[in-house]
Amino acid sequence: MEQQTPQPITESKIVGVPTPRIDGPLKTTGTAMYSSDHHFPGLVYAWPVTATIASGTISGIDSSSAEKMPGVLAIYTHKNIGPLYRTPPSAGFSMILDERRPPLEDEIVRYYGQYVAVAIAHTVEQARAAAEAVKVTYNKTPHDTSDKLLDTPTIAGKLKEVTKRGDTAAALAGAAYKHDAVYSTPTETHNPIELHASVAVYKDGKFTLYETSQAVVNHRDVMAAMLGVPPENVQVITRFLGSGFGGKLWPWPHALLAAASARNLNRPVKLVVGRSMMFQSVGHRPAIDQRVQLAADKSGKLLAIQHDYVNHTSMLDDYDEGCAESTGFMYSCPNVLATSGLVRRNVGTPTSMRGPGAVPGLYALESAMDELATKLNIDPVQLRLLNEPEKDESTGQPFSSRHLKECLTVGAEKFGWAKRNPAVGSMKDAEGRTLGWGVAACTWIATRTDAEVNVELRQDGAARVACGTQDIGTGTYTAVAQMVAHETGLPLQRIDVVIGDSGLPPGPISGGSWATASVVPAALQAAQQARKQLLSLSTKTDGCPFKDKSVDELEFVDGVVRIKGQSSGGVPFAEILKTANVRSVSGTGKSTGLFGDPNQKFSFHSFGAQFAEVTWQPEIARLHVSRVVTVIDAGRMINPRAARNQIEGAVVMGVGMAMLEATEYDHRSGGPINASLADYIVAVNADCPNIDVTFLDYPDFNLNPLGARGVGEIGLAGIAAAITNAVHHATGIRVRNLPVRIEDLLVAPGNKTS
Amino acid sequence: MIDFELTRVGTPDAAVQIAAATPTAQQGATVRFIAGGTNLIDYMKLDVETPQHLVDINRIPDLAKVEKQPDGSLKIGALVRNSDLAQAPEVLAEYPVLSQALLSGASAQLRNKATTSGNLLQRTRCPYFRDLAYAECNKRTPGSGCAAIGGYHRNHAILGVSDQCIATHASDMDVALMVLDAVIHVQGIKGNRTIPIGEFYKLPGTTPHIENALEPGDLITHVTLPALPETKQIYLKLRDRASYEFALASAAIVMQVQGGRLRHVRVAMGGVGTRPWRMPEAEHALEGQAPGEGVFRAAADAALKTARPHTDNAFKIPLAKLCMIRALTTVTNA
């Protein structure tokens, strides 16, 4: 499709209006059908057997007693699972998955928790009991789950250049003010409340798969390729998701176990991944070491940035976290070098977790900026303002819309930053607790991907909008309805949004914070096409007052067809359809994405500023994040209510990242040892700060006609640095390996090393 | 999970009679009483507890009452739910340390289910105890070893540990009961008896699978708290997150300040011991002294003197000291 110059839409009665979720009542009444809620006659249950070694080969599987247990239908291993194939290389947003080896492909075990068999039985209890009765023996080989990453052998043997300009080494050597430190972040596990699940129905060679997927179209393509059937023989359905945080973007091996079992037994199979397995075989944010070197002159002007990161990946797959994504354009700096390295560990394959790359990357970069500000004795907000670039210095492109300076100044004003005394431990609250105030800037990519949308105007007076995207709980149903409501003038309750089905026109993945922005042009175009068809029908229908008028004389306003500019004499579109005995008119919109387009005219990014306050009680080593002010520049908010919810949730997740979350491996077994929601602790209500969210309203019309970008991830970027910077301000302790723990703060002020 | 039989009983006698069939009332019991089930069912799902027979005691009358006794003591039935006990007027008035401890534990939903006797028998959160994939756990399988030593043990015990087990006792309520000198009333096959809480919990030593003084058939029917003179009380809990989390260190304190001197001092700590940890060394260091930071510090030092940390839980020693000093400071100023 030709790139169209977007016509900015500045006025709307519904876009930009805080709107309750249209799917809210379904969820609050428990009637929304999540994937594992689906049930079918004859459905049986699968429970995987997981490896209890991290490296080696299976020497034997004795399933004889398990097979004789009550209700057991089958035990599948690498010997009898039947054909499962690897995918061809991915292209665009098809054939993407992170763990490319099909489950049970061979007898080799490469990580603790890898599936080695699966038990199928009439009840889930029977399946689990049978799985536990399968006796697997192994020939163990040495494994490595070490979280020491920097300066260990990388896959490529050397660090890969991510971005480069100027002569960083020379600038670092000659600078008067320098900072050099390593920042470490641990393995983090996505813990959506909804467990990963697959309900696989197999009939007449066709698969209907109810999956927990953030990308139903890609999921369909991958499953078809791995099951060895044409894509039209696979339908993937995800009506509702209990969130995913990136963990459900791409298919994981359990989906293949369920589908292959359904095929083998010719009956529906349900597999719900157990919570402990969620820590093993459905991805995680990898452990990362990042060394950041900064150089500046006395005034604070950056002279050099070097950012070298290494993340762990699995034994078979190369997952690159992409921590330096923003290093090249965040600040104005003549000399920049960023490199990446991957190291193999005996862990499950890592995957995207909310804000992949930027979230850990900005933790490192924005911590380093704070440390540099301290060395320079410059206010950390000022240091960032001083280094604001005119353009994207990594590509030379102008920014489509960048208002980071305003984010910082507005945030500083709202937070009361002017009252900050930079001396460590110098500020107290009314109860005598020490206060720490920290700031960090943040950014996240803005883009659009290909999208196709169908809009239908029906004789019953409702509109149906269909797109093969999905709602992971963030409000996509509502945002899509708002777009169509804007274009048709219909109220939200008369718009049926149909998404979460791979059989629909292909839509964007729910990832990268670009689902909404991607759908906008196609949805508007589809509604316009449907309107054209409606007006055309009006001019051709006997008994319709607009018969034989020209389409150009007519308009479609608030659900009514009328002569342009005449408020009387209009006819509701449903009546026209009834008169014509046409059930519906429809239109399809298709838009081509900007993602990966080398000829982009602009550098598209969202920006923000995070201000955090912690209270610190050294007498009991108690740290609490008390207040966060977040200012976000992410274009126009289609639904400010859902958008605010996204930022608030991200801030809470940021408290978890900064202070609580880490997947702990027992390095003797190689397995995650805190693999439960009691032992892997996330923030609870009592840990939540007061959160003040502000959106700067700068529509980005270069991206789409509504000027919308996305807010799913940016709220988590920078927040950990803002918190640890505040911790330093309160305590004098600089924690460079997350999470900040009580024991880190018990030591005498100084630097904690990893 | 394995198959089991469930019997609902209406009298303590019936419960005791069925439970007498178990060869042990400790790890490996073949008969278990079930009340709130908040702990037992978790462990049954994990196959750590594999009873063949569950005896549901929820319908036994009169076990869910909190009653003042003629001698001034408080009788707390085995089935009194944690949330009810925390809000009982007698507890709020005379034993606030117990109310504070209860409310600092678990979540509202769990407290609504969990019972007094169940909390007394709460098992450890040690991840190796919970995970059958690790063969080494002396508490689960006597003689098999201890995976926590040399493994992940950040929240393990530093007091009362042995070379065979460093599992932390997880309860908050029981720490408060330690300073209240609670008495546990048991009906067994040989009749009724009482066990002071100080004698109820066993140190792991060479037998970590034996956690308490209960014998086959024993049913805890109630707990009594002796009458107390007017005292100052506090429960302070330090943990990684602000709610719904086990203690890294907690302190329960009961004391009087008379004529500028500390009297009737009782100190216990949670999160640091292999059982709820009464601290006579601290009490001795405090009794009769004028309150002050130096005295408090000396008490904390004395109490933690025998601590035996491992690599990742050594921070619990300074943390426990902070906890105790802060609790003492707060309660004496109250």
Side-chain angles (χ1 to χ4, degrees), chain A residues 583-597:
Chain A
R583 190 177 170 276
S584 66
V585 289
S586 71
T588 295
K590 265 188 172 185
S591 62
T592 307
L594 299 169
F595 187 84
D597 177 358

Side-chain angles (χ1 to χ4, degrees), chain A residues 307-643:
Chain A
H307 185 177
D308 307 296
Y309 73 90
V310 177
N311 68 255
H312 82 208
T313 186
S314 57
M315 299 309 284
L316 286 183
D317 301 295
D318 295 351
Y319 175 82
D320 185 338
E321 175 72 11
C323 295
E325 192 260 336
S326 58
T327 309
F329 66 82
M330 195 65 183
Y331 296 110
S332 177
C333 182
N335 305 293
V336 176
L337 175 63
T339 69
S340 73
L342 308 184
V343 299
R344 295 230 185 272
R345 295 290 182 263
N346 291 99
V347 295
T349 302
T351 196
S352 299
M353 179 189 273
R354 199 176 197 176
V359 164
L362 286 166
Y363 159 66
L365 183 63
E366 291 300 291
S367 295
M369 286 293 280
D370 197 70
E371 298 204 54
L372 181 67
T374 304
K375 280 185 186 156
L376 287 162
N377 202 20
I378 291 177
D379 180 87
V381 172
Q382 284 305 319
L383 181 65
R384 289 169 173 90
L385 294 175
L386 266 170
N387 289 287
E388 176 72 9
E390 299 278 320
K391 59 177 182 184
D392 181 334
E393 293 180 6
S394 68
T395 63
Q397 294 164 322
F399 288 108
S400 175
S401 173
R402 171 172 168 138
H403 301 88
L404 176 57
K405 283 175 98 164
E406 191 174 335
C407 291
L408 286 161
T409 52
V410 168
E413 176 67 28
K414 293 193 84 119
F415 190 81
W417 188 260
K419 290 191 250 50
R420 182 176 185 265
N421 178 343
V424 164
S426 61
M427 297 176 66
K428 307 278 174 193
D429 72 1
E431 279 115 76
R433 293 175 297 198
T434 304
L435 292 176
W437 285 4
V439 64
C442 62
T443 183
W444 181 251
I445 187 172
T447 193
R448 282 195 288 113
T449 61
D450 298 354
E452 190 173 328
V453 176
N454 179 270
V455 170
E456 199 184 0
L457 298 168
R458 292 192 314 230
Q459 212 187 69
D460 64 1
R464 174 188 190 267
V465 50
C467 179
T469 187
Q470 49 288 307
D471 189 335
I472 63 170
T474 52
T476 304
Y477 274 103
T478 311
V480 171
Q482 285 176 280
M483 294 172 205
V484 174
H486 168 84
E487 201 59 36
T488 61
L490 293 180
L492 289 175
Q493 59 269 27
R494 276 164 65 196
I495 297 170
D496 288 342
V497 180
V498 183
I499 57 177
D501 185 336
S502 63
L504 299 170
I509 68 167
S510 296
S513 301
W514 61 60
T516 301
S518 300
V519 169
V520 168
L524 298 182
Q525 196 192 355
Q528 287 155 9
Q529 295 295 336
R531 180 182 60 202
K532 269 188 202 162
Q533 210 181 34
L534 174 68
L535 298 183
S536 171
L537 181 71
S538 308
T539 63
K540 291 172 183 160
T541 299
D542 288 333
C544 174
F546 310 118
K547 174 105 184 351
D548 297 330
K549 299 275 184 206
S550 154
V551 166
D552 296 338
E553 294 173 70
L554 304 178
E555 64 182 1
F556 180 50
V557 175
D558 294 341
V560 169
V561 177
R562 65 185 195 191
I563 304 289
K564 269 187 185 162
Q566 288 187 10
S567 54
S568 63
V571 181
F573 76 90
E575 275 186 39
I576 292 169
L577 292 170
K578 273 180 209 154
T579 306
N581 192 29
V582 168
R583 190 177 170 276
S584 66
V585 289
S586 71
T588 295
K590 265 188 172 185
S591 62
T592 307
L594 299 169
F595 187 84
D597 177 358
N599 301 317
Q600 266 178 198
K601 281 186 258 171
F602 298 100
S603 173
F604 289 103
H605 297 278
S606 291
F607 295 91
Q610 309 266 18
F611 291 80
E613 175 185 271
V614 300
T615 60
W616 167 235
Q617 295 167 272
E619 64 279 12
I620 46 171
R622 182 175 286 170
L623 184 72
H624 177 63
V625 183
S626 47
R627 196 159 65 91
V628 169
V629 170
T630 299
V631 183
I632 298 291
D633 165 35
R636 181 198 228 162
M637 297 305 128
I638 288 187
N639 183 359
R641 185 163 159 154

